[in-house]
Amino acid sequence: IHTPGGDLAVMENLINYLHKIFNGDIRVIIPQIAMSAGTMIALFSKAILMGEQSCLGPVDPQYNGVACQAIHECENAIRWSNELMDKWIPKVYPNIDIEKIRDKFLNHKTTCSHARRLSKDDCKEVGLNIIDLEDFPSLNDAVLSLHSCYTIMIDKYSYSKIVENQNGETYFYRDPCNN
């Protein structure tokens, strides 16, 4: 996963789909950043592969770029994020202290900013199953090389989305407004 985040409803549909298809056996690789909704996907996975350059971020809901905790109208989004935590964290991590997860990822008073990046060590500190990419040098090199190639391709050709599957099929999407 490499994402600045996204829509809560899309993330919920994606995680429900992945859990259904893979019977809850989901592992994610974070080459660089998985912020906001990307962090939620990582939190709801059995294992998270991260390198020294990898980070997760807060999952406090945003409304027009402002933390919902600061806006009264966003109470439903805050409750929704908490409900998703209550639903998925115990399934993935039955013995984890969910309040530590909530405090690290969902508490705006702790994170101070939705843009905050939480390191591999921060994630280990709360009990997430973090696998060190550096323990697997060839995998680490492959992940970072592939990530760099995609970053260059997205920048050079204005792709906004690239999806590949296990069958070698690739989908490219170029936003027609970004030519």
Side-chain angles (χ1 to χ4, degrees):
I1 301 173
H2 177 74
T3 180
D7 186 87
L8 199 56
V10 172
M11 181 282 307
E12 182 181 28
N13 284 340
L14 180 59
I15 201 68
N16 284 332
Y17 172 77
L18 292 173
H19 274 268
K20 181 179 178 183
I21 295 300
F22 298 108
N23 199 26
D25 189 19
I26 301 166
R27 291 171 211 82
V28 296
I29 300 171
I30 313 297
Q32 191 176 23
I33 63 167
M35 303 297 283
S36 196
T39 293
M40 286 188 121
I41 293 169
L43 292 175
F44 306 154
S45 302
K46 278 191 175 178
I48 306 166
L49 284 83
M50 296 176 74
E52 289 301 323
Q53 72 291 339
S54 306
C55 63
L56 299 180
V59 295
D60 55 316
Q62 303 290 295
Y63 180 76
N64 289 333
V66 177
C68 287
Q69 284 88 340
I71 302 173
H72 181 70
E73 296 84 30
C74 292
E75 289 175 353
N76 286 338
I78 295 167
R79 187 173 65 249
W80 190 6
S81 287
N82 275 293
E83 287 172 3
L84 290 171
M85 286 276 186
D86 290 340
K87 177 181 179 181
W88 287 107
I89 294 294
K91 287 182 182 180
V92 176
Y93 294 101
N95 300 317
I96 204 165
D97 182 351
I98 195 166
E99 291 310 315
K100 281 185 176 179
I101 301 291
R102 241 187 260 290
D103 191 51
K104 182 66 80 176
F105 293 97
L106 192 57
N107 185 346
H108 190 71
K109 290 179 181 173
T110 301
T111 60
C112 301
S113 169
H114 193 69
R116 182 152 214 180
R117 299 191 178 185
L118 303 167
S119 72
K120 174 172 65 170
D121 291 335
D122 292 327
C123 297
K124 286 179 180 180
E125 187 178 283
V126 296
L128 296 179
N129 182 22
I130 304 299
I131 299 168
D132 292 315
L133 271 173
E134 288 81 11
D135 290 347
F136 305 93
S138 49
L139 177 61
N140 189 34
D141 185 51
V143 167
L144 294 178
S145 296
L146 185 62
H147 174 67
S148 294
C149 288
Y150 280 134
T151 302
I152 291 166
M153 188 167 27
I154 287 170
D155 184 52
K156 182 174 175 138
Y157 298 107
S158 300
Y159 289 121
S160 57
K161 188 177 290 188
I162 301 171
V163 179
E164 291 193 58
N165 68 17
Q166 71 276 12
N167 300 322
E169 298 165 339
T170 306
Y171 168 78
F172 296 97
Y173 177 76
R174 181 181 290 157
D175 185 345
C177 297
N178 280 339
N179 288 328

